[in-house]
Amino acid sequence: MAGSSSNPHVTLEVGEENPYPYPSHFYTPSFVTLKLSGRDEYEIWKTQMLCLLESHGMLGFIDGTLVIPQTSNNVSGKEKVGDHQTHHKLWRRSDALVKGWILGALSKQTLTYVVDRLKEKVYQERNAADFCAKEVWDELETMFAPAVVPPELLVVEDTIRDQERAEVQKQLYKATLGGKWRDVEIVLVERQVTVLNKITNNGNTALHVAVGTSKEPWFLQRLLGVIPENRHLLDVRNSDGSTLLHVAAIVGNTEATDILLGRYPQLLLAKDNKGHTPLAIALSNMHTETSKLLLQYINTDIEKDALFSGTSGDEHLVNVISSKDFGFAKDLMQHYKTLHTDAVLMAIAQNFPCELSILEEYIGTDMVEQRDVFCETCGNCIFDIFERCSPCVSLFCIVPCFIGIDYCLMLLLRIVRMLVSPFIKERVRIHEDAMELLEDACSLTIKTKHSSSFPQYYTNPILEAARQNSYEVVQRIVYFFPSAIMSANEDGHNVIQYAVINRSEKVYNLLYEMSEHRNIYRTIKDSSGNNLLHLAARLAPSNKLNLISRAALQIQRELLWFKEVEGFVCPLSIIQKNSSGETPKMVFTREHKDLVIEGEKWMKSTAESYTITATLIITIVFAAAITVPGGSNQDTGVPIFTYKTAFTIFAISDAISLFAVVTSLLMFLSILTARFAEQDFLLKLPTKLIIGLTTLFISTTAMIVAFAATLYIVFGQSHSRVLIPIAVLTCLPITSFVTL
């Protein structure tokens, strides 16, 4: 051979013996780095492929220069026939190599579609799989290459047809947006635009618009009906790379999703420019019904592995958990073979619902024993009778059966459950689903991961649960992973220490459920020498402080927390110093210095405001006491209405108001003269404030009652009905104040 070489990577030169090059060991991805999957990628892909073919002298296999040799039976001579047959084999070998390069640089969806198209074209003439590289290249040109406009027509196309095409696209957009099929059909008949052409600035076609705006399935089906049967929709994308199914997932168009997947199931695994599948889009937009429909079309293990594996698969669960749809998340968990990160457990810890109240827990767990008691009259279970029949029939049939107090108690509890259950049933269901999801996630981690890797799955979630004060999550994680209780953050603080820092009292209370481990925390220290009381002395996080209004009450809460931890630790820990030489008391004073100042300012300003209010009330009620309604007898000085019941109410209410408001005034004055020491905020100052506010409220209430009694004395003697509006108006301010 003219140019043969022992190096397999060297391209064979064209010669008399081998006129066709054959670089069989060349690594194609080093030249062609892009998998062709759509029209937008074609120009880049074509440029890379042409460089590859031209660099190896194989461009003739696609441009028609190197045509297939004829194997003519008319050739005379044994040697000539043999030469033609040899050249034919060599050409087919090189052509197959070029064809393999081209097909290997296509995406899976594009490859399937192109091969099916070529098989349909050639099966009438020859073997269905016997198509050459040029036919593959021409088919790709037909599918993806832009239409070639002759140069002499470019000016005409640009100047004359652009405005007309834009107007037609606008008409098609409006007709599609309004769901008017007749108008759409008129535009399509003109053949100036199709449903596959982009008609909006962001590259949406009429199909995108219909899927995104129309809720009528028939309208989308008619639009899909005008698409050629052999045309797939994977390359019909907007500027975001979204297919029609992506758009349906974004808007939650469940009907369109069902139609598209029924016709084009390959859209299920398509990804947009950001690598998101339609399922991921539907889950992130919290379209539960659309997501459930997409899940129904996932049948094969390949599809499950593609959608529910890796960090992107975990993100699906995180999106559902973040929307607090724990029931759907629990169903979605069944598709997972393993969890790849701690993101799922972290999402559960961050979004776990609040704990159930005693009543909700009773309704949810069926604490009352449900014994079947049958009626002697009809023979049915009495509880079934009560639920099915009207109250009168139920009582007539059931009451004779209950001759014991146990049965009466059972019926009463059942009635309470029936009345309350509709209001709390949803919260109970959500809580149960969340707990089951947490257990499933922990169980799946234990089954699929080695024990040595457990900490990387539970450490961050259990610390987050401790921060959120979600003690149920902490309990369940510790149940599945007992060593999780010793998990520590980057500062070296374990779960209990982290709970103390974040004021998570429910997680902290787990200390009292421990046995031998509890004593460890009495003396435990962190890397800075801080014991548990040092950590309690720190200022609480702002999100926990903001749960309590006003600085004075915040300081009180901080002091209560400090006293609680102080009672738990060893007595020696109270005076121990950390590595900075500070005792817990010193840390508390330093951390809360600014809060004490703010508390003092608030207490003084509040006391001053209420002092003015109390002074005004004293003036009013004292004046009312000496100027009684109706006046007094000029001879005896006794009030005219002394023996009236309304006057007695007035006198008593006015006296109560005066004494209460004087007490309130004295309390607020004592606050203004207080020393405002740090420890005073624990009991003295809050107690004075509460007494002052309570007595002021009592005084205000008594003053309103006294005023109402005066109104009745003056205007209600001959009109007793006046008492009704007076009573209503009297209750209005009192009720409003108590409510607010």
Side-chain angles (χ1 to χ4, degrees), residues 57 166 218 274 299 316 355 445 452 472 532 581 592 640 652 681 699 721:
W218 64 267
K274 295 182 179 179
N299 300 317
H316 298 336
E355 63 176 315
T445 302
S452 61
E472 292 174 306
L532 214 58
H592 295 81
I640 297 175
I652 295 174
F681 285 93
S699 174
R721 293 183 180 180

Side-chain angles (χ1 to χ4, degrees), residues 167-186:
E167 184 62 29
V168 172
Q169 291 175 347
K170 184 178 180 181
Q171 293 176 5
L172 180 59
Y173 174 77
K174 288 184 177 180
T176 307
L177 194 64
K180 300 176 181 179
W181 171 247
R182 291 186 178 180
D183 295 345
V184 172
E185 198 172 21
I186 292 173

Side-chain angles (χ1 to χ4, degrees), residues 453-521:
S453 65
F454 287 167
Q456 68 183 18
Y457 288 93
Y458 63 64
T459 299
N460 291 330
I462 196 172
L463 290 172
E464 178 64 21
R467 189 184 72 84
Q468 298 274 1
N469 200 22
S470 183
Y471 78 98
E472 292 174 306
V473 177
V474 174
Q475 277 185 323
R476 298 315 295 168
I477 292 179
V478 172
Y479 173 79
F480 285 95
F481 310 100
S483 58
I485 193 65
M486 299 305 297
S487 300
N489 61 5
E490 60 275 7
D491 296 326
H493 297 138
N494 60 32
V495 173
I496 299 300
Q497 291 173 313
Y498 203 51
V500 170
I501 294 172
N502 288 278
R503 308 301 191 258
S504 302
E505 69 278 0
K506 296 175 184 176
V507 178
Y508 170 80
N509 286 336
L510 294 177
L511 274 173
Y512 298 99
E513 298 180 12
M514 298 180 181
S515 53
E516 67 278 0
H517 294 292
R518 180 171 58 186
N519 294 326
I520 297 176
Y521 291 96

